[in-house]
Amino acid sequence: MEQAVPLAVPLGQAEVFQALQRLHMTIFSQSVSPCGKFLAAGNNYGQIAIFSLSAALSSEAKEESKKPVVTFQAHDGPVYSMVSTDRHLLSAGDGEVKAWLWVEMLKKGCKELWCRQPPYRTSLEVPEINALLLVPKENSLILAGGDCQLHTMDLETGTFTRVLRGHTDYIHCLALRERSPEVLSGGEDGAVRLWDLRTAKEVQTIEVYKHEVCGGGPALTLWHLRSSTPTTIFPMRAPQKHVTFYQDLILSAGQGRCVNQWQLSGELKAQVPGSSPGLLSLSLNQQPAAPECKVGLVAGASGGWEAGEWAGQSCPSLLQVLTAAGNSCRVDVFTNLGYRAFSLSF
């Protein structure tokens, strides 16, 4: 009697399409829910996936726990940036910002609450929005990207209240100076510009490319704002896409698989490898955690830090978690900032 030989059943077209999507996926942005239990990740196909951090970090976690709770089509193009308020997830794509209610998304009711478009110069102009920044004191949102301008939107009324002009090329990142109503923006024109939100005026410009010490090329550099001078040049020639302060360290990520941890003096303290060939965004939980667990997140695009709390039954106290995403379909999860524990995946 002949032994039966198992036949290879070809994948259906849908499965093949999904496999190709994952192969060519880039995750541009991440944001943590207000409660800290969930993580939203946005990709180059305009999709947003919601992951349960509490389930993935549980001692009883299974492989299914590392998959999205829900995935939905948010934009026609890439989701370049996201931030969270106490109730909403805000996402930005090509020329538009949308709002989603966290409570409805978690019920798998993924219907946008509103959509706004900045007042561009022509109706044919649809520039990408690379960065979103919340200004809590004035309950506003600042948007910046391909039109080289910063737009301020009142979150209460949904109206755009001011435009800040000065950059001559794409704006990639924004940062808020919390002690004063000032915002920093960085763009492809080689300049970092400081804006006073009270007067809507540019008050300082650092033209990085003009400083010989930086070599005119990509170099991670620590600057003294008051004197507009570089204080530390970090020995890292690979372009860095996301940089942030964390306690007495600087975290950076970009070209390459590693999240880099630097001393302010320029000494490389650690390089923690992940699974993606390049990283685009980082996010860290810096709020006080519940007694059972403290969770931090790091993700790759040019956005700011997001934070939250999570109370897990089986999670050790003072656990630090870092997540990083970029040129793959995975979001790497690093525990205690020291090693990659596992990956979430679209």
Side-chain angles (χ1 to χ4, degrees), residues 103-115:
V103 65
E104 294 299 325
M105 287 190 297
L106 299 177
K107 293 177 183 176
K108 302 186 179 180
C110 304
K111 184 177 180 180
E112 69 188 59
L113 188 64
W114 51 255
C115 179

Side-chain angles (χ1 to χ4, degrees), residues 244-287:
T244 191
F245 290 97
Y246 173 65
Q247 295 180 356
D248 58 347
L249 297 173
I250 292 174
L251 302 179
S252 74
Q255 184 176 309
R257 297 180 178 275
C258 293
V259 176
N260 306 296
Q261 301 178 18
W262 303 90
Q263 304 281 5
L264 298 183
S265 62
E267 178 186 351
L268 182 60
K269 182 179 179 182
Q271 286 186 304
V272 187
S275 63
S276 298
L279 297 174
L280 297 175
S281 71
L282 302 173
S283 165
L284 181 68
N285 179 355
Q286 299 185 99
Q287 292 183 1

Side-chain angles (χ1 to χ4, degrees), residues 26 56 135 148 159 164 171 191 197-198 203 209 227 247 256 282 304 316:
T26 295
V135 185
C148 315
T159 58
L164 305 178
I171 300 170
L197 296 180
R198 294 165 297 190
V203 294
Y209 67 95
S227 63
Q247 295 180 356
L282 302 173

Side-chain angles (χ1 to χ4, degrees), residues 30-52:
Q30 301 180 59
S31 184
V32 186
S33 65
C35 67
K37 295 182 181 181
F38 299 92
L39 174 70
N43 67 21
N44 55 320
Y45 301 117
Q47 300 169 330
I48 292 178
I50 308 297
F51 297 94
S52 173

